[in-house]
Amino acid sequence: MKKLICTVLSFILLLSVVSCQKNDEPVSVTKTYFDGIEFTITLDKDSYDLGDTIVATADIVNKTEGTIKLYSSTSAPYIGIGFSEDGAGKLSNKILSFATVIRTTEIQPGEGFTFTKSFNTSASFGTDEPVRSDTEWKIKSLVSVIPNGHETHEDISVEIIVPH
């Protein structure tokens, strides 16, 4: 009887350890602009701990019938992706890391563009304070596009709260 109880308790302990493990499944958010420009940001897993590296991938897919152009100026990148945190529960204006990625000028109908940036949550990103675990973390991607038939650029963005 004692052996049976130990076996059952061992099985229950094993189940609870397995059920508490993270899935490490990617999570994503998609927004659609101008009836067919899909902008998606994907995180490489579903939860992070302080010190983990977050790998964020942004995808722009042109599902319109015309070519879209990516806008740039001397001071603005074509595409960027950033990590931010705020201890007060709302996103601050301070971007802790922002990356300009490969510049391109056009995305044809049915084509897309993908870029990736990694963020190490143990880094301070050049600030006095390292990233804290008790703050809200967000990843945001931004691009300025000139949709087919438009004469001026429009900023489009997508963001995701980083689960931790």
Side-chain angles (χ1 to χ4, degrees):
M1 183 67 164
K2 197 176 198 182
K3 193 172 187 178
L4 178 63
I5 291 173
C6 285
T7 303
V8 170
L9 289 175
S10 296
F11 183 71
I12 291 171
L13 180 62
L14 177 65
L15 280 177
S16 57
V17 168
V18 170
S19 66
C20 290
Q21 292 179 347
K22 297 176 185 175
N23 287 335
D24 287 343
E25 294 290 324
V27 293
S28 63
V29 171
T30 300
K31 291 179 89 175
T32 301
Y33 294 90
F34 304 107
D35 296 322
I37 300 173
E38 288 187 358
F39 200 5
T40 302
I41 193 157
T42 303
L43 304 180
D44 62 323
K45 52 188 193 171
D46 58 4
S47 185
Y48 298 87
D49 293 318
L50 193 59
D52 285 351
T53 297
I54 300 168
V55 179
T57 302
D59 295 293
I60 301 171
V61 178
N62 181 3
K63 293 188 174 182
T64 70
E65 294 181 9
T67 300
I68 59 172
K69 295 179 181 176
L70 302 182
Y71 171 81
S72 72
S73 68
T74 55
S75 63
Y78 287 114
I79 301 169
I81 189 167
F83 175 95
S84 62
E85 75 165 338
D86 182 46
K90 78 176 198 186
L91 186 64
S92 68
N93 290 328
K94 181 173 81 173
I95 299 294
L96 298 177
S97 181
F98 192 79
T100 302
V101 298
I102 300 170
R103 292 178 183 240
T104 186
T105 55
E106 294 182 347
I107 301 176
Q108 300 298 323
E111 294 183 358
F113 186 74
T114 299
F115 52 101
T116 300
K117 172 71 177 156
S118 298
F119 302 95
N120 186 322
T121 59
S122 63
S124 63
F125 299 113
T127 65
D128 295 335
E129 302 274 332
V131 174
R132 296 186 357 230
S133 62
D134 62 341
T135 58
E136 183 174 76
W137 303 348
K138 286 189 179 182
I139 301 280
K140 181 175 184 176
S141 187
L142 170 73
V143 63
S144 293
V145 298
I146 304 172
N148 189 37
H150 291 234
E151 293 187 24
T152 60
H153 73 279
E154 299 283 340
D155 290 340
I156 62 173
S157 66
V158 62
E159 69 181 27
I160 190 168
I161 295 174
V162 180
H164 66 287

